[in-house]
Amino acid sequence: MAEEKKNWQETMKGAIFDLDGTLLDSMGVWAQIDEEFLAARGIEVPDDYQEAAGHLGFRGTAEYTIARFGFTDTPEELMELWDSMAIKEYANSIELKPGAYEYLEKLRREGVQMAIATASPMRYVLPALERHGIREWFCCIVSVDDVERGKGFPDVYLRAAELMGLSAADCTVFEDILPGLQGAKAGGFRAVGVAEEASKKYWEEMQALADGWVCDFHELL
């Protein structure tokens, strides 16, 4: 694995990062929001809820939630409610994952182009990046809402690579969820798995699929 990591790092011209659970230590915030939201409706959070909805984007998650639980809300109503619960956390509280700032700084110094490919809306993404002083380090930010399909497919990564002027073969995707790695590999990208507790039961499958694996970005310094 060490030799594989060395190879993909040496040939990488572009790095495409997922945000939640990869660069941002934000999965606990969403778990808390899910718990509070469903508890208010007398429902305990199902074990598979976050992993089933986490790659669908904001609207996709709202539509999935309505269909799964039979709610009568519109997607817009759920999105507005979740928005009010989350926006303060992204702007003021959520931290970067260990070693993320230093690794991004290293890639910046080395001239590697960087992009964000996220399932989160821009009103969360931009304040979080600006708060940590890294917004200008990324040449583009693409959301699954900007493409036709979610992260089980390569669309969002292909769009990011296109905006960077690079091919998939020139880029490495960093993801903390299995659908993200699957979508990246389907698009011809190298893919590095980032350990996130919420995806722990899939770690073995993710490690088998990925070209590299890190528990902490300090490993790549």
Side-chain angles (χ1 to χ4, degrees):
M1 181 66 75
E3 184 62 28
E4 291 174 0
K5 286 182 181 180
K6 180 180 179 182
N7 289 340
W8 64 254
Q9 288 196 85
E10 287 181 348
T11 59
M12 182 171 59
K13 296 180 181 178
I16 302 172
F17 292 91
D18 169 57
L19 194 66
D20 292 290
T22 298
L23 290 182
L24 288 182
D25 192 10
S26 55
M27 299 307 290
V29 169
W30 281 110
Q32 179 182 334
I33 289 173
D34 291 340
E35 183 176 345
E36 292 177 0
F37 164 72
L38 290 175
R41 299 179 181 223
I43 300 171
E44 187 174 344
V45 181
D47 290 340
D48 66 338
Y49 177 71
Q50 274 200 321
E51 58 197 53
H55 64 286
L56 298 176
F58 209 46
R59 173 171 287 276
T61 299
E63 292 171 348
Y64 171 81
T65 301
I66 290 167
R68 176 162 184 172
F69 299 108
F71 294 153
T72 58
D73 311 69
T74 65
E76 288 75 16
E77 287 170 338
L78 287 195
M79 290 162 66
E80 182 177 355
L81 176 59
W82 293 338
D83 192 59
S84 66
M85 300 172 76
I87 197 165
K88 181 178 179 181
E89 297 295 329
Y90 275 81
N92 299 296
S93 302
I94 294 174
E95 299 297 334
L96 291 170
K97 296 194 85 170
Y101 183 94
E102 292 83 357
Y103 184 58
L104 294 173
E105 190 174 40
K106 174 180 182 289
L107 295 183
R108 182 171 174 251
R109 289 196 310 267
E110 293 174 351
V112 176
Q113 294 192 67
M114 296 186 290
I116 296 286
T118 181
S120 292
M122 291 300 130
R123 60 188 173 278
Y124 301 162
V125 173
L126 297 180
L129 296 179
E130 288 166 1
R131 174 171 171 260
H132 290 290
I134 59 176
R135 166 64 184 90
E136 301 305 320
W137 295 5
F138 299 95
C139 61
C140 64
I141 301 171
V142 184
S143 167
V144 294
D145 294 330
D146 299 326
V147 295
E148 290 188 10
R149 300 177 295 182
K151 282 201 171 182
F153 300 91
D155 304 29
V156 70
Y157 312 112
L158 290 170
R159 179 59 176 157
E162 178 186 10
L163 291 172
M164 289 192 291
L166 298 172
S167 69
D170 290 328
C171 299
T172 298
V173 171
F174 295 79
E175 273 283 1
D176 69 303
I177 59 172
L178 179 59
L181 294 178
Q182 291 170 331
K185 294 297 290 183
F189 294 86
R190 291 183 300 275
V192 173
V194 179
E196 165 56 52
E197 192 68 22
S199 298
K200 189 171 185 177
K201 72 178 183 178
Y202 295 105
W203 283 2
E204 185 174 343
E205 189 174 354
M206 292 168 69
Q207 288 172 346
L209 178 64
D211 299 287
W213 178 263
V214 296
C215 293
D216 186 310
F217 281 105
H218 286 114
E219 297 172 30
L220 302 179
L221 300 175

